[in-house]
Amino acid sequence: METIIKQHLAEVEKTAALNEHDLEQFRIKYLGKNGILNQLFEEFRALPSDQKRVAGQMLNQLKIAANEKYTSLKSEFEAKSTSATDNSDLSLNVSSANYGARHPMSLVRNEILQIFSHIGFTVEEGPEIEDDWHIFSALNFQADHPARDMQDTFFIEQQPDIALRTHTSSVQVRLMQNQKPPLRAIMPGRVYRNEAISARAHCFFHQVEGLYIYKKVSFADLKQTLLYFAKEMFSVDTRIRLRPSYFPFTEPSAEMDISCSICGGKGCNMCKKTGWVEILGCGMVDPNVLENCSIDSNEYSGFAFGMGIERITNLKYAVKDLRLFSENDIRFLKQFQNVI
Ligand code: PHE
C-alpha cells in the first residue's frame, strides 16, 4: 500500500490542469466519493494494526497534497476567468475610436452651398493662380487701382501678369465668358492677400462669390436673396441692413450687415456693441463687366455678392482668432466632431 500511495503522491505533485475540465477530472479522481482517497481509506481500515501508523501518515499526506493541489489550481482558474469576464463585460463603455472630423470651415462652406442650392444656384470653381485680366481688368478695375498694388496682391515675379487671386470674383468673369444667361451660381474658393498674419487677418482666406444674371434682375432680388441666406444661415430672427459702398465691378454697391448672431443685436464684443456685423459685399453687376464678358448689358442685368467663409464661421461658432483655422490644433478641431 505504501508504494501505491507514493506513486499517487508523485502524480498529484506533477498535476497541472490545462483547463477546467481537467481540474474537475482531478477532483473526481482523488477527492470524489468513489475517488482514490476514499478507496485507500477503505483499504487502510482493513490493514493489520502494525502497518497502520506509517500508512496512515502517508495517506494523510496524500489527502493534504491532493486538497492543496485542487484549491491552488482552482484559484488559478478563477483568477483567469475573472480577468476574462472583465474584458468581455458587455455593459462596459466602448473605448472611443479616434475618428476624424470635418474642418469647421468645410462645415460652413458646405452649409452655404446647400442654402443656395435650395434656390437653384449651381457650384462653380476657378483657378487660384489667375491672370490680371480675370482678377482686375475684366472687373472694371482701373490700371492704377490700389487693389493691384504690390502691397495687396501676390504677383509672380517672372510674370507680372499672373497673380494669386485676391478674390473669387475672377470666377464670375470666367463663368460669364463661358456660359450664356441665365446664370445662377455660387463660387467657393481660397483667395490670397499680402497681409500680416494676426487674429483678424491672414495671407490666405476663403470666399464664396454669388452671381445671378438674367433679364430684369433687380436690387430687390439681391436683397431678398441675401435676407433668405441670413435667416437660413443664422436664425429666422436675423435682420439685415445694406449700407452704400464701392466696388469697381458693381453699381450700385453695398455692404451687408446682419443683426449680431452672438448677442441678437443687444451689443457685445463681437459686434463692438453696435448690434450689427458686416458679412459681405454686394451690388448690381456693372454694365461694363457684362460687356467685357460679351453679355449684352441692354438685355441682361444681374447681381453679385461675395463673403468670407472665415467671418461666417467666426459668427456661427464664436471663434475669435482666425489663425486657429489654419494651425491644425487637434484640440480646436475636435470641438467640431459632433457638429452636423
Ligand atoms: N470681391 C469682393 C471682395 O473680395 C466682394 C464682392 C463680390 C463684392 C461681389 C461685390 C460683389 O471684397
Side-chain angles (χ1 to χ4, degrees):
M1 186 173 186
E2 283 166 29
T3 12
I4 294 176
I5 297 176
K6 262 193 192 146
Q7 279 169 11
H8 284 306
L9 254 177
E11 200 185 316
V12 167
E13 223 96 82
K14 66 172 199 267
T15 301
L18 294 172
N19 53 41
E20 276 182 276
H21 174 75
D22 291 350
L23 178 65
E24 181 62 1
Q25 290 304 309
F26 175 83
R27 188 191 67 77
I28 294 167
K29 185 174 174 187
Y30 284 98
L31 310 167
K33 214 164 141 223
N34 302 314
I36 289 169
L37 273 167
N38 279 348
Q39 279 174 31
L40 287 172
F41 272 108
E42 204 68 35
E43 286 173 35
F44 169 77
R45 249 175 248 133
L47 280 180
S49 51
D50 58 333
Q51 290 176 24
K52 270 191 173 158
R53 208 177 60 88
V54 183
Q57 275 176 1
M58 288 183 68
L59 205 50
N60 269 330
Q61 217 183 324
L62 178 64
K63 188 180 164 183
I64 291 167
N67 273 305
E68 271 179 4
K69 191 68 166 191
Y70 178 70
T71 17
S72 83
L73 287 176
K74 196 175 166 199
S75 55
E76 219 175 278
F77 274 117
E78 274 170 357
K80 268 190 208 157
S81 68
T82 332
S83 59
T85 321
D86 276 349
N87 287 339
S88 56
D89 183 349
L90 298 180
S91 66
L92 285 176
N93 289 335
V94 178
S95 61
S96 63
N98 213 0
Y99 291 125
R102 287 213 190 287
H103 192 284
M105 293 286 298
S106 304
L107 292 171
V108 170
R109 173 187 176 275
N110 291 348
E111 204 178 335
I112 297 171
L113 298 190
Q114 198 169 31
I115 291 171
F116 282 103
S117 80
H118 289 159
I119 50 169
F121 281 71
T122 58
V123 178
E124 302 291 337
E125 282 177 317
E128 293 179 15
I129 302 170
E130 210 19 309
D131 56 55
D132 181 276
W133 194 78
H134 286 92
I135 310 174
F136 300 123
S137 302
L139 287 162
N140 212 27
F141 280 82
Q142 298 304 310
D144 57 355
H145 192 282
R148 292 170 180 252
D149 199 299
M150 299 293 268
Q151 302 291 306
D152 287 318
T153 309
F154 288 113
F155 286 97
I156 311 270
E157 223 164 31
Q158 290 79 1
Q159 250 179 306
D161 186 39
I162 306 291
L164 294 177
R165 69 180 178 196
T166 55
H167 56 182
T168 42
S169 302
S170 53
V171 189
Q172 56 161 293
V173 175
R174 285 187 174 272
L175 187 66
M176 285 190 279
Q177 278 183 305
N178 298 331
Q179 290 179 34
K180 294 278 146 262
L183 297 173
R184 193 159 41 181
I186 194 98
M187 294 151 272
R190 184 174 279 188
V191 300
Y192 301 83
R193 288 183 198 177
N194 191 3
E195 294 197 28
I197 297 170
S198 71
R200 297 178 148 265
H202 211 294
C203 60
F204 69 79
F205 57 101
H206 301 79
Q207 285 189 330
V208 172
E209 184 96 359
L211 180 72
Y212 179 39
I213 309 280
Y214 201 41
K215 289 171 187 166
K216 296 199 178 84
V217 176
S218 72
F219 199 91
D221 295 327
L222 168 62
K223 198 173 168 186
Q224 203 56 38
T225 305
L226 294 177
L227 178 63
Y228 156 77
F229 166 71
K231 286 178 181 288
E232 287 289 307
M233 190 72 215
F234 297 100
S235 73
V236 280
D237 332 300
T238 307
R239 285 162 293 134
I240 62 167
R241 105 182 156 180
L242 292 166
R243 287 177 289 100
S245 184
Y246 173 76
F247 299 102
F249 38 94
T250 46
E251 181 59 36
S253 304
E255 271 165 334
M256 185 176 97
D257 299 338
I258 58 162
S259 51
C260 180
S261 61
I262 307 292
C263 64
K266 288 191 203 76
C268 67
N269 286 341
M270 179 66 90
C271 59
K272 300 196 195 89
K273 309 261 186 281
T274 64
W276 295 96
V277 278
E278 184 200 318
I279 63 161
L280 56 81
C282 61
M284 301 308 292
V285 180
D286 193 299
N288 288 343
V289 176
L290 294 175
E291 295 297 336
N292 287 342
C293 301
S294 316
I295 291 177
D296 184 350
S297 61
N298 293 317
E299 195 181 351
Y300 294 106
S301 59
F303 64 69
F305 56 88
M307 68 185 95
I309 308 182
E310 275 81 353
R311 184 110 187 99
I312 308 288
T313 313
N314 279 344
L315 288 169
K316 188 111 182 160
Y317 297 116
V319 180
K320 294 219 176 72
D321 188 330
L322 63 82
R323 286 170 294 197
L324 285 165
F325 293 132
S326 51
E327 278 169 355
N328 283 339
D329 186 330
I330 203 102
R331 293 166 302 178
F332 170 69
L333 296 172
K334 273 202 171 220
Q335 294 175 61
F336 298 89
Q337 217 152 28
N338 298 322
V339 183
I340 307 182

